[in-house]
Amino acid sequence: MGHRDYTPTHKTLTMTSHTDRDKQTRVFLWMTPRAISTCFLKCLSFVEGAQVWNEPYTIAYNWGVAEAMTGNPDGVSKVGGRARDVYIEGLTSKEVKASTLYGGRLMPAEKFTYPWVKSALEEEELDKKYIFIKDTAYTVLYHMEFLPEVPTRHTFIIRHPFRTLTSYRGAMMKFIDYQGDPKEFELWPELKRNYYKEDYVYNLWKKVKESGIESDPIIIDSEDLMNYPEQFLSQYLEALGIPYRDSYVKWDESEESIKNWKGCLEWLNLGKKVSLFDKAFRSSCFLPKTHVMPKREELTPDITGIIDRLMPGYEQMYEQRLKPE
C-alpha cells in the first residue's frame, strides 16, 4: 500500500472566489459512529436536488491508521491486527464488481487521500442544488486544511454515548467475526487510541465556532429525529434554507439509491457485508426508539472510560440542539 498524506499542517481555512460552484449549498453532517447518521444520509439523498457523500475523509484517515499499524507490527494487538486485515482486505477486494452497489457513482478506495477529497468536494455538482457530506469528526479535527475552500455549512448529529458505545461495541464484534462470550469482548487499544482518544465531535463543534467557520452550528439529536421525524427534519432543513416536504420522512427502501451516493464503493460494500450499514441501507423511514437506555452498571468496562470522557461534551451539545417546538 503506497504512502498517503494524512499529516495535518494546521493551515488557516480560507474561501475562494464566488463561482457557480459556490452557489450550491454544501452541508457537512459531522458525527460519531452509531449515531443513526447513515440512515439520515439516506433520507437526505431523497431531498430534491441533493447529492450526498458518505464518509470520504474517513477512508483517507483509516488508510493512514492501517498503514501506521502495518509499519509497526510489534505494537499491534492481535484483535487490532485482525480488524486492520479485515479493513484492508475489504478495501482492496477485486470482488467488488460483483457487489449490488457497483455501477453507480461510488468510487474506488485508492482515490481517497486527503488532498483528493478536498478537491473532489470543491467540484461543482451539475444539476444539483444541495450537497450533503456525512463524515466522522475525528477525521478532520486536526486536518481542517483539507476542508473544501468553498462556502459550506457545518452541522452535527449527536446521540447519547450509552447508546453509541454499546452499539459500536456490538458492531465491532461483527466486524471481526468475534465468536466468544460477548461479556468478555474488549475494544482493542488501537481503536480506542485512534477513534476515542478525545471527544472529537465536541471539540470539532467548538473549533468550528471559535474559528468563525460557523457561528452557531446546527445540532440535531438522533433520538429526537427518530421519534419526531417530521418536526426535526423540517427544522433542520429550514435552518439551512432548504425547502421541506412532508414526503421526505419516507423514502424508497431499496438499496438501489445507494448507487447514486458518492463515497468509497469498497467501504460501503464491506460495511454491508459485516452488517455495519445493512439496516440503514434497507431503511424507508425513521423508527421510534423503543429500547430502554442501558444503565451505567450494565455497561462493560471497556467502554465506561470512553463514555465518561464523552458525556460532558454530549450534555453541552444536547442543550444547544434543535429543540421540540
Side-chain angles (χ1 to χ4, degrees):
M1 196 189 315
H3 175 72
R4 291 172 182 266
D5 181 4
Y6 65 99
T7 304
T9 57
H10 303 285
K11 295 179 182 177
T12 302
L13 182 67
T14 58
M15 308 301 281
T16 58
S17 60
H18 295 286
T19 63
D20 288 343
R21 66 181 182 175
D22 298 341
K23 297 176 184 178
Q24 294 177 319
T25 301
R26 286 172 173 79
V27 181
F28 279 104
L29 179 65
W30 300 114
M31 54 82 181
T32 190
R34 315 309 290 175
I36 319 298
S37 59
T38 305
C39 181
F40 191 20
L41 190 70
K42 187 175 182 185
C43 165
L44 295 172
S45 73
F46 286 90
V47 169
E48 184 177 1
Q51 174 65 54
V52 302
W53 279 82
N54 183 77
E55 304 181 10
Y57 290 106
T58 294
I59 306 306
Y61 182 89
N62 284 346
W63 274 126
V65 171
E67 287 184 342
M69 292 173 68
T70 300
N72 182 29
D74 294 337
V76 176
S77 68
K78 182 177 180 181
V79 180
R82 168 62 182 152
R84 174 205 56 203
D85 292 345
V86 170
Y87 182 80
I88 292 177
E89 289 168 9
L91 266 68
T92 57
S93 173
K94 301 302 182 184
E95 299 176 359
V96 74
K97 290 185 177 181
S99 168
T100 56
L101 302 177
Y102 184 76
R105 307 197 77 187
L106 295 169
M107 292 160 278
E110 62 188 17
K111 284 182 174 289
F112 288 79
T113 65
Y114 272 98
W116 180 86
V117 171
K118 176 181 182 293
S119 177
L121 293 180
E122 290 173 343
E123 292 178 3
E124 181 182 0
E125 291 282 358
L126 296 178
D127 303 320
K128 301 294 183 182
K129 295 181 180 179
Y130 317 112
I131 304 169
F132 295 100
I133 307 124
K134 184 261 289 188
D135 221 321
T136 43
Y138 56 77
T139 64
V140 298
L141 179 60
Y142 299 110
H143 302 245
M144 294 183 74
E145 70 274 17
F146 293 113
L147 290 176
E149 296 185 54
V150 291
T152 56
R153 300 294 305 274
H154 292 263
T155 70
F156 294 78
I157 184 168
I158 59 173
R159 192 182 186 196
H160 197 290
F162 281 22
R163 292 211 190 272
T164 58
L165 267 296
T166 52
S167 176
Y168 189 72
R169 188 174 183 273
M172 291 302 97
M173 283 192 275
K174 291 181 180 179
F175 188 77
I176 64 168
D177 193 25
Y178 178 75
Q179 298 296 319
D181 185 343
K183 294 181 180 179
E184 297 179 0
F185 176 80
E186 292 187 12
L187 294 178
W188 49 97
E190 296 86 359
L191 182 148
K192 293 181 180 181
R193 184 168 61 248
N194 288 298
Y195 306 107
Y196 289 103
K197 186 177 181 179
E198 59 183 281
D199 189 341
Y200 291 99
V201 172
Y202 173 71
N203 289 336
L204 180 61
W205 174 62
K206 287 199 306 179
K207 192 169 186 177
V208 164
K209 292 197 302 176
E210 292 168 358
S211 66
I213 296 174
E214 182 97 23
S215 61
D216 189 18
I218 299 166
I219 302 170
I220 189 167
D221 185 83
S222 65
E223 297 204 13
D224 286 340
L225 181 61
M226 287 188 286
N227 291 326
Y228 309 101
E230 295 90 349
Q231 181 179 157
F232 284 95
L233 181 61
S234 63
Q235 281 194 64
Y236 179 81
L237 291 177
E238 288 168 4
L240 291 167
I242 299 174
Y244 168 76
R245 296 180 181 177
D246 290 337
S247 60
Y248 289 161
V249 295
K250 293 186 180 296
W251 54 88
D252 185 0
E253 67 179 355
S254 168
E255 293 181 4
E256 191 67 21
S257 65
I258 310 299
K259 290 183 178 181
N260 295 319
W261 295 12
K262 286 191 170 182
C264 176
L265 171 61
E266 292 90 345
W267 172 231
L268 289 179
N269 186 61
L270 175 61
K272 176 183 175 183
K273 182 179 178 181
V274 298
S275 302
L276 292 180
F277 304 136
D278 52 332
K279 288 184 179 180
F281 284 0
R282 299 195 307 268
S283 69
S284 60
C285 63
F286 296 107
L287 298 175
K289 197 64 183 174
T290 57
H291 298 302
V292 177
M293 180 80 71
K295 298 178 180 178
R296 182 178 173 79
E297 57 267 27
E298 298 172 337
L299 303 174
T300 53
D302 59 326
I303 62 174
T304 52
I306 300 173
I307 287 173
D308 289 342
R309 189 154 53 246
L310 300 183
M311 280 304 301
Y314 169 77
E315 290 172 347
Q316 187 172 335
M317 293 184 73
Y318 187 80
E319 287 303 311
Q320 300 298 317
R321 80 195 193 284
L322 295 174
K323 303 289 202 310
E325 295 179 337

